[in-house]
Amino acid sequence: MVGGGAGSFIGPVHRMAAELDGNIELVAGAFSQDPARSRQAGETYHISPDRAYANYQEMMERERKREDAIDFVCIVTPNHVHLPVAVAALEHGFHVMSDKPATATLKEAQTLEAAVKRTGLLYGLTFTYTGYPLVREARRMARAGELGKIRKAVVQYQQGWLSTSLEATGQKQAVWRSDPAQAGLGGAIGDIGVHAFNLLEYVSGRQVVEICPDLSSVVAGRSLDDDCNVLLKLDNGAPGVLFVSQIAAGDRNDLQLHLYGEKGGLHWWQENPNYLHVNWVGKPSQTMHAGGDYLSAETRAEFRLPLGHPEGLVEAFANIYRDFAAGIRARFSDPAAPLSELVPGINDGVRSMAFVERAVSNSRKGWCAL
Ligand code: NAD
């Protein structure tokens, strides 16, 4: 693991999720830029003291020489560190599981894409919401044509935690997210807009080909966007809307997908993720529940508990890790074995960074191609 030191948010979640199914064990890390804090985090994670490294370069060099070397590197640092760590890992022969956004800029994402292609190693991206079983069920339904031709998409991700100038208080997660040198090109669009963008494409099977963005920095003194409203055009001509905000006062993690085909519309809400609603034309509405034996066999295999026991964000992360672990295991016997298409990869990383770059540079300038 690179990142994930004391006081960090998502590193410990990755650790829990990766280890949930017994396929993966955290054995080494460079958990902080500060060597002492990295060692201290290593103790918390109960890893061998000689494998809590001073920095990621030392970790790659020393791990490469071990007989029991790591198999892959998990990246949970602020965005500007994603590219150098990912490239170093690939060049040292390690697969990569990175948190989003892929990189800080589109150009960096393209550099990373070249490194992934050059090395032929596995690269997974934790667009977390793609790991929820009912999101995957929605994907299967939409892609099998059960909704008919997709005619409208609405995706929203509304948070309120940056409604005030939280970064001015020194809050760790707010400080780097509002600093272009660490967050990259995008504020809210880079932090949560990429989740919304990816979710829409992941489920619908359609690509966004044109956008008309309107981004704002609502809180005084903030240089990056904190509110984004974007009209979309999909590759089948269907219109769509994506809106994300981190100044939606009082909202928590209000990620919603509404996807309308000719035969009906499906609706999924992250804050109540064990339900998938479909409103059919001319038929009663349907509510599917996690664990239901009427779901597809693939979706049923993605639950760990029987009907009525809620699963959540950690399990969604764990589904992505389970598929990633299967991909690595397959590589032990077949060096060309592909990663499951259910795991977002570098193509999703580049597409979502293109979305961020175009949205920021074309805000309030009308329609542009993606
Ligand atoms: P954080 O500030 O809480 O933690 C970042 C950690 O990285 C800290 O421990 C910091 O010390 C460490 N770090 C910084 N530079 C480092 C370096 N050069 N070497 C080693 N460690 C270093 O941030 P966070 O909120 O956990 O976010 C981390 C990443 O995860 C971001 O890219 C963010 O976009 C992403 N994220 C994804 C999700 C999701 O739902 N998938 C949720 C939250 C965050």
Side-chain angles (χ1 to χ4, degrees), residues 2-5 7-11 30-33 76-79 81-82 99-101 126 128-129 172-173 176-177 191 195 317:
V2 181
S8 67
F9 166 31
I10 213 68
F31 302 103
S32 165
Q33 275 171 295
V76 283
T77 62
N79 306 345
V81 190
H82 292 189
D99 215 319
K100 44 52 64 177
T126 46
T128 318
Y129 308 106
K172 188 179 168 76
Q173 284 78 23
W176 72 255
R177 280 176 172 81
D191 198 33
H195 273 304
F317 258 110

Side-chain angles (χ1 to χ4, degrees), residues 284-326:
S285 299
Q286 193 179 15
T287 297
M288 287 166 254
H289 186 276
D293 56 11
Y294 42 80
L295 297 169
S296 65
E298 294 95 325
T299 300
R300 277 184 276 130
E302 285 153 2
F303 301 113
R304 292 167 186 76
L305 297 168
L307 195 69
H309 293 291
E311 297 190 23
L313 187 82
V314 174
E315 289 88 348
F317 258 110
N319 284 337
I320 302 176
Y321 269 109
R322 188 154 66 179
D323 292 337
F324 194 66

Side-chain angles (χ1 to χ4, degrees), residues 76 93 101-102 110 112 116 130 135 158 163-164 223 257 260 281 316 324 355 368:
V76 283
Q110 289 162 336
L112 179 55
V116 172
T130 64
V135 165
Q158 303 276 93
S163 291
T164 60
S223 56
L257 177 68
Y260 301 90
V281 174
F324 194 66
F355 172 67
C368 64

Side-chain angles (χ1 to χ4, degrees), residues 154-223:
V154 180
V155 61
Q156 70 175 74
Y157 198 159
Q158 303 276 93
Q159 297 180 334
W161 70 292
L162 292 176
S163 291
T164 60
S165 186
L166 189 62
E167 58 271 34
T169 70
Q171 204 263 14
K172 188 179 168 76
Q173 284 78 23
V175 167
W176 72 255
R177 280 176 172 81
S178 53
D179 172 10
Q182 298 183 75
L185 282 176
I189 196 94
D191 198 33
I192 56 175
V194 291
H195 273 304
F197 175 85
N198 180 259
L199 183 67
L200 190 165
E201 291 200 337
Y202 186 84
V203 172
S204 69
R206 308 262 44 122
Q207 291 197 332
V208 175
V209 290
E210 280 180 71
I211 63 171
C212 178
D214 179 348
L215 275 52
S216 306
S217 303
V218 173
V219 170
R222 190 169 280 162
S223 56

